[in-house]
Amino acid sequence: MDFILEAAVRAVKTLFATDISAESLSLQQTRKEFEGDITIVVFPLTKFSQKPPEQTGTVLGEFLVNEVEAIESFNVIKGFLNLSLKNSYWINVFYQTINQPDFGSFPSNGKKVMVEYSSPNTNKPLHLGHVRNNLLGYSVAEILKANGYEVIKANLVNDRGIHICKSMIAWEKFGNGETPESSGLKGDHLVGKYYVIFDKEYKKQIEALKNQGETEEQAKKNAPLIKEAQEMLQKWEQGDEHVIALWKKMNCWVYAGFEETYKKLGVDFDQYYYESNTYLSGKDIVEEGLEKGVFFKKADGSVWIDLTAEGLDEKLVLRADGTSVYITQDLGTAQLKYNQYHADKAINVVGNEQDYHFKVLFLILKKLGRSWAEGLYHLSYGMVDLPSGKMKSREGTVVDADDLIAEMEATAKGQTDILGKATDFPEEEKQNLYHIIGMGALKYFLLKVEPKKRLLFDPNESVDFQGHTGPFIQYTYARIRSVLNKGGFKSDTVFMPVKTVSAVEKDLIIQLEQFPAFLTEAAINYSPAVIANYVYELAKLYNKFYHEESILKAEEEMVKGFRLQLSYVAANSIKKAMQMLGIEVPERM
RNA sequence: GCGCCCAUAGCUCAGCUGGAUAGAGCAACGGUUUUCUAAACCGUCGGUCUCAGGUUCGAAUCCUGAUGGGCGUACCA
């Protein structure tokens, strides 16, 4: 649309003798209820024209119709100049830009970005909150790829610490040697089971101590179980053979379980980091900060940074005993990642309860003079809430990821059966279809919402399969594939170009033409929701077209060819957009 | 206390750097299938955009304040 802007700038210069920039003009799509394709808001120009908005719009419209070949006509309503572009213009857009093999992705921009997501703790299985994280991270990575970035997907596994020691202690004490094999439990669930047992027994001990007259605080500190866990953590740090062996064994179970869940979710990683390897790093950065005077040491030996000038607080970066805190590690891993990849951007997909942490982290790196800190971004997302409130692992109110996936598949099967859709499909295709549709519904449900907003999930109400949903879009795709097959469409067939298009066809072309702009917007905002809402509009519009125009029984061969091509391009764009959301589309459903 | 985020239809959400009468889906009600897949299409119903000021020709959008909700403010991660 740059040519219209440019002509409008010329018009203002010629008619009103004023130089304006193209940015000062706003072009928008004409609203449905008015005639036209593109609208220029003329209010801002009245101060140059010294005329009322209607007159200003009219002279501008006349100038543009005469000067710009593509503009067919115009009308002015209040301060809005609506321009209608010629059919031939839109047809040209279709053949020249939309109907091209690489439409819907950008060539390499030579830049590298790391997206860190998932980053689970190894003491319990994944739940719905993790699912949102995984889907967001994967999707953002795909969106950036489509925008021309080279992407490294990273997973920083929190495999050490007091939490895993809790599971280990509980397993040793109450496990009787139970293994995933002996129990038939998935490894992560088995370990999670002992995490819950630890908490239960721990609470019992606290109660007992309180009955003996200790305060809540004392009891929490003095309960034998927590002491044992702390001792175990120390032994782990000292490299105690027995503890390390147990730790390795249980972590292996968890990894096997996670792998399974990741596979079902369809997410993957190029690079794993383990905190057991990185938890000591960052201390050298603390040294450096002290030397540079960015940090200061208190009398007890602890190291701090004063961020009060920035409106934040004083923040501890190293404990008095010289051990790391969370942010120490993160300083180290940020540096480690940069040293390894020299990425232009690095994104951390982490929940919004850590907003403050990342604010501080990035600020510290900037103060230390890391130029690459400018490219760091915390993709913060809201919690997933249940109608009853927040999910709590220990209270058993979490929605387990594996259970949820299984339920989604079951619902997909139920829906498919009710509609009698896949009755003649081979068994394998059926199973695959249930998975694709079930995951499509779930993923779309989670991704269509702006990341920073919190999300409400009601386990008692199944995720919809109709309307603004993943399956609706998948269905649209399958339907197109079906028409293309019936029409014997081949992507390399050459068709005679059409001379004219109908209103819906034009709308479809306009919608398709905007795909790259939405792609860019999604990347700038790190927002899969932008893609999700775009592809929904596209699918909706296609269904309207499908309903209004006959494709295979078009009045002319030329028109049939065009409609097939239009359908093909729509299908490709839907597929590409859905891929960016990590959602598969079935060939039939 | 201080800081950050959120508030749009009964419910779940869109609404781009301010622009026309604020849009979808679900739910409710009605219609469309001898025609390319009805997980679809079309229509009806539904709004003081939390409230109060301000900026502007124009505010759901920007600014200030208030209210309600969430999160953070650990020598936890």
Side-chain angles (χ1 to χ4, degrees):
Chain A
M1 296 299 132
D2 285 349
F3 67 99
I4 293 176
L5 276 176
E6 182 247 333
V9 170
R10 265 191 294 129
V12 171
K13 191 177 171 65
T14 313
L15 300 170
F16 313 136
T18 312
D19 280 309
I20 59 163
S21 67
E23 291 79 50
S24 62
L25 285 171
S26 76
L27 282 192
Q28 51 188 279
Q29 220 176 314
T30 306
R31 296 178 63 121
K32 268 182 276 177
E33 54 268 42
F34 303 103
E35 196 188 325
D37 302 325
I38 304 293
T39 295
I40 297 176
V41 183
V42 299
F43 290 108
L45 301 174
T46 52
K47 58 173 175 261
F48 307 126
S49 68
Q50 304 289 340
K51 290 185 184 119
E54 289 82 356
Q55 277 185 45
T56 308
T58 304
V59 286
L60 192 60
E62 279 164 0
F63 181 95
L64 291 174
V65 166
N66 290 330
E67 289 283 313
V68 183
E69 165 65 24
I71 298 176
E72 177 139 67
S73 62
F74 74 94
N75 65 80
V76 181
I77 296 168
K78 293 201 254 174
F80 299 89
L81 169 60
N82 302 319
L83 304 169
S84 297
L85 301 188
K86 288 179 181 162
N87 251 327
S88 59
Y89 169 77
W90 293 116
I91 291 167
N92 198 44
V93 166
F94 176 76
Y95 289 110
Q96 297 306 313
T97 78
I98 296 171
N99 193 28
Q100 298 294 331
D102 55 353
F103 182 74
S105 52
F106 292 102
S108 168
N109 62 9
K111 289 187 180 162
K112 211 186 275 182
V113 56
M114 174 178 273
V115 180
E116 182 203 302
Y117 68 102
S118 200
S119 303
N121 290 344
T122 57
N123 62 327
K124 53 179 187 286
L126 271 26
H127 65 239
L128 183 53
H130 299 116
V131 173
R132 187 176 197 192
N133 179 303
N134 279 279
L135 299 181
L136 270 175
Y138 181 84
S139 177
V140 164
E142 291 301 310
I143 288 167
L144 291 169
K145 266 188 206 170
N147 273 273
Y149 287 90
E150 183 192 335
V151 177
I152 303 117
K153 300 177 197 172
N155 190 354
L156 173 56
V157 183
N158 189 357
D159 61 344
R160 52 138 248 131
I162 194 75
H163 51 84
I164 178 73
C165 290
K166 288 178 181 177
S167 294
M168 286 157 65
I169 284 283
W171 183 84
E172 273 202 321
K173 286 183 128 37
F174 311 107
N176 299 315
E178 192 176 36
T179 66
E181 292 73 31
S182 74
S183 64
L185 275 175
K186 212 163 147 269
D188 49 339
H189 285 87
L190 180 69
V191 173
K193 175 180 155 186
Y194 286 97
Y195 186 67
V196 172
I197 289 176
F198 176 92
D199 197 64
K200 228 161 73 188
E201 296 298 323
Y202 178 39
K203 281 200 174 121
K204 275 191 210 163
Q205 293 185 349
I206 292 172
E207 279 312 305
L209 289 174
K210 272 162 77 180
N211 290 337
Q212 290 167 28
E214 289 196 16
T215 65
E216 171 103 22
E217 213 166 297
Q218 288 172 324
K220 277 186 174 168
K221 230 184 266 177
N222 294 334
L225 265 177
I226 194 72
K227 287 196 158 170
E228 285 179 77
Q230 281 159 353
E231 275 163 32
M232 187 174 257
L233 182 60
Q234 276 174 12
K235 281 188 181 168
W236 182 90
E237 294 198 6
Q238 288 153 9
D240 178 280
E241 254 179 65
H242 170 74
V243 171
I244 296 283
L246 176 62
W247 172 74
K248 279 188 178 161
K249 177 162 75 181
M250 290 181 72
N251 267 344
C252 271
W253 293 345
V254 172
Y255 295 145
F258 282 174
E259 246 351 275
E260 222 179 280
T261 308
Y262 285 150
K263 203 174 162 197
K264 283 188 285 187
L265 282 174
V267 303
D268 54 28
F269 304 94
D270 305 304
Q271 172 75 57
Y272 281 85
Y273 295 103
Y274 297 91
E275 288 199 3
S276 54
N277 291 327
T278 62
Y279 81 105
L280 293 174
S281 69
K283 291 190 186 183
D284 45 343
I285 296 179
V286 172
E287 269 314 305
E288 179 194 333
L290 280 170
E291 278 165 31
K292 288 186 174 169
V294 175
F295 301 153
F296 66 94
K297 199 175 257 188
K298 288 196 176 172
D300 63 0
S302 57
V303 181
W304 298 73
I305 183 164
D306 183 359
L307 298 171
T308 47
E310 281 81 6
L312 307 174
D313 303 311
E314 284 190 354
K315 181 87 184 168
L316 177 91
V317 293
L318 196 70
R319 289 196 188 100
D321 64 6
T323 58
S324 301
V325 288
Y326 181 40
I327 202 151
T328 325
Q329 282 181 54
D330 267 11
L331 286 167
T333 45
Q335 183 71 57
L336 173 71
K337 288 177 185 173
Y338 182 75
N339 292 346
Q340 198 174 349
Y341 290 100
H342 286 83
D344 300 277
K345 290 170 187 277
I347 296 155
N348 288 273
V349 183
V350 180
N352 64 6
E353 73 272 20
Q354 293 192 31
D355 285 356
Y356 185 74
H357 170 76
F358 280 99
K359 210 178 203 178
V360 171
L361 178 68
F362 297 163
L363 191 54
I364 291 176
L365 287 165
K366 280 174 198 165
K367 280 181 173 277
L368 289 170
R370 301 295 193 274
S371 58
W372 45 267
E374 293 298 328
L376 301 175
Y377 183 78
H378 171 209
L379 176 50
S380 164
Y381 62 92
M383 297 290 102
V384 181
D385 289 323
L386 304 175
S388 53
K390 218 181 153 177
M391 288 193 285
K392 298 235 170 74
S393 318
R394 297 193 191 106
E395 290 169 23
T397 55
V398 291
V399 175
D400 177 75
D402 295 310
D403 291 350
L404 179 60
I405 292 168
E407 278 167 33
M408 291 307 303
E409 288 172 345
T411 310
K413 177 176 170 13
Q415 289 287 315
T416 308
D417 288 349
I418 289 168
L419 295 168
K421 287 284 187 181
T423 42
D424 59 336
F425 286 20
E427 192 55 31
E428 200 187 330
E429 189 182 351
K430 263 191 203 172
Q431 294 306 325
N432 192 237
L433 183 67
Y434 302 149
H435 177 73
I436 290 179
I437 295 175
M439 293 309 291
L442 178 65
K443 289 181 177 184
Y444 194 86
F445 177 79
L446 294 175
L447 289 174
K448 75 169 179 187
V449 181
E450 229 16 79
K452 74 173 168 188
K453 297 210 178 173
R454 26 195 307 200
L455 201 58
L456 185 73
F457 181 87
D458 189 345
N460 300 318
E461 230 173 277
S462 58
V463 175
D464 277 332
F465 284 64
Q466 268 144 25
H468 190 181
T469 67
F472 167 83
I473 299 163
Q474 291 172 319
Y475 172 72
T476 308
Y477 179 83
R479 217 183 197 187
I480 300 176
R481 295 305 308 172
S482 170
V483 190
L484 292 176
N485 285 335
K486 286 207 169 133
F489 178 84
K490 299 243 167 31
S491 58
D492 55 1
T493 312
V494 178
F495 295 94
M496 285 287 290
V498 286
K499 301 253 169 18
T500 180
V501 291
S502 70
V504 227
E505 289 165 348
K506 189 174 85 178
D507 287 345
L508 246 187
I509 292 174
I510 292 173
Q511 178 72 16
L512 283 165
E513 192 241 357
Q514 292 172 340
F515 188 22
F518 277 94
L519 240 175
T520 307
E521 195 195 325
I524 289 171
N525 298 317
Y526 305 108
S527 174
V530 169
I531 298 293
N533 288 305
Y534 169 80
V535 71
Y536 169 64
E537 290 299 328
L538 176 59
K540 211 164 52 154
L541 204 49
Y542 183 86
N543 278 316
K544 192 182 159 118
F545 157 75
Y546 181 92
H547 194 258
E548 283 183 19
E549 314 281 10
S550 181
I551 298 164
L552 300 179
K553 289 181 185 158
E555 53 280 16
E556 290 175 68
E557 265 312 293
M558 195 194 281
V559 174
K560 178 180 162 184
F562 166 71
R563 288 182 182 160
L564 283 169
Q565 278 180 305
L566 185 59
S567 298
Y568 175 70
V569 170
N572 279 353
S573 293
I574 289 172
K575 188 175 189 171
K576 280 187 183 177
M578 292 295 262
Q579 268 170 0
M580 285 176 222
L581 301 175
I583 301 175
E584 288 180 79
V585 284
E587 289 301 300
R588 53 178 188 161
M589 69 184 269

